Amino acid sequence: MIKIEAIVREEKMEDVKEALQKIQVRGLTVSQVMGCGTQMGYTEQVRGSKIHINMLPKIKFEIIVSTEEWERKTIDAICAAAHTGNVGDGKIFSYEIREAVRIRTGESGTDAIQPGEDPADD
Ligand SMILES: Nc1ncnc2c1ncn2[C@@H]1O[C@H](COP(=O)(O)OP(=O)(O)OP(=O)(O)O)[C@@H](O)[C@H]1O
Ligand SMILES: [Mg+2]
């Protein structure tokens, strides 16, 4: 299993959500976060000026998928939906996940992240 963590612009949250819905991602977590990238929160830096870290509000998506094929599909969908071409578009990180458990049934591993028995469930 693979975890994809995507930090995107606040105003891109709906677009990213819809893109993930379109590829039928089954489950995601979204949070409001603060952060900065290589520009340390500034879009412009004057030579010789003091650099203070300036945190900007961003949206973080967390999605666990079962295969590398899904990883690629998910990353491509997020990239396409979150892209503007300007600095601060965001970052995507992915890493291996050791375990997942669906608490209701006790299912673990990839079984825990496949659609459950009740499709009306959240
Ligand atoms: N190395 C990092 N570690 C952790 N979080 C990061 C890192 N780089 C970026 N982020 C997160 O991603 C958000 C967006 O980063 P951003 O898009 O500005 O990255 P960047 O590398 O500066 O790219 P760009 O040059 O396009 O702005 C940051 O506000 C921060 O929350
Ligand atoms: Mg940046």
Side-chain angles (χ1 to χ4, degrees), residues 63-114:
I63 305 124
I64 317 296
V65 297
S66 50
T67 63
E68 283 180 18
E69 192 188 333
W70 270 103
E71 177 191 20
R72 184 38 53 201
K73 227 169 135 176
T74 305
I75 290 175
D76 288 350
I78 295 170
C79 272
H83 182 266
T84 72
N86 299 310
V87 296
D89 269 357
K91 282 258 173 68
I92 302 175
F93 305 105
S94 73
Y95 43 96
E96 298 264 344
I97 284 286
R98 276 165 48 85
E99 182 60 299
V101 175
R102 176 178 283 126
I103 293 175
R104 176 174 61 89
T105 59
E107 291 162 287
S108 61
T110 54
D111 286 348
I113 58 168
Q114 309 301 338

Side-chain angles (χ1 to χ4, degrees), residues 2-9 11-25 27-30 59-65 69-85 88-94:
I2 299 148
K3 177 168 177 173
I4 298 146
E5 204 171 282
I7 299 144
V8 304
R9 295 180 187 279
E11 60 270 28
K12 285 292 189 179
M13 183 178 72
E14 285 299 320
D15 288 348
V16 171
K17 200 189 77 182
E18 278 167 28
L20 293 171
Q21 197 172 324
K22 210 169 264 178
I23 62 164
Q24 300 197 305
V25 157
L28 54 87
T29 303
V30 180
I59 296 292
K60 182 170 75 173
F61 282 85
E62 294 170 78
I63 305 124
I64 317 296
V65 297
E69 192 188 333
W70 270 103
E71 177 191 20
R72 184 38 53 201
K73 227 169 135 176
T74 305
I75 290 175
D76 288 350
I78 295 170
C79 272
H83 182 266
T84 72
D89 269 357
K91 282 258 173 68
I92 302 175
F93 305 105
S94 73

Side-chain angles (χ1 to χ4, degrees), residues 7 33-39 56 58 86-91 93:
I7 299 144
V33 295
M34 302 286 285
C36 65
T38 50
Q39 295 83 13
L56 298 172
K58 298 281 174 181
N86 299 310
V87 296
D89 269 357
K91 282 258 173 68
F93 305 105

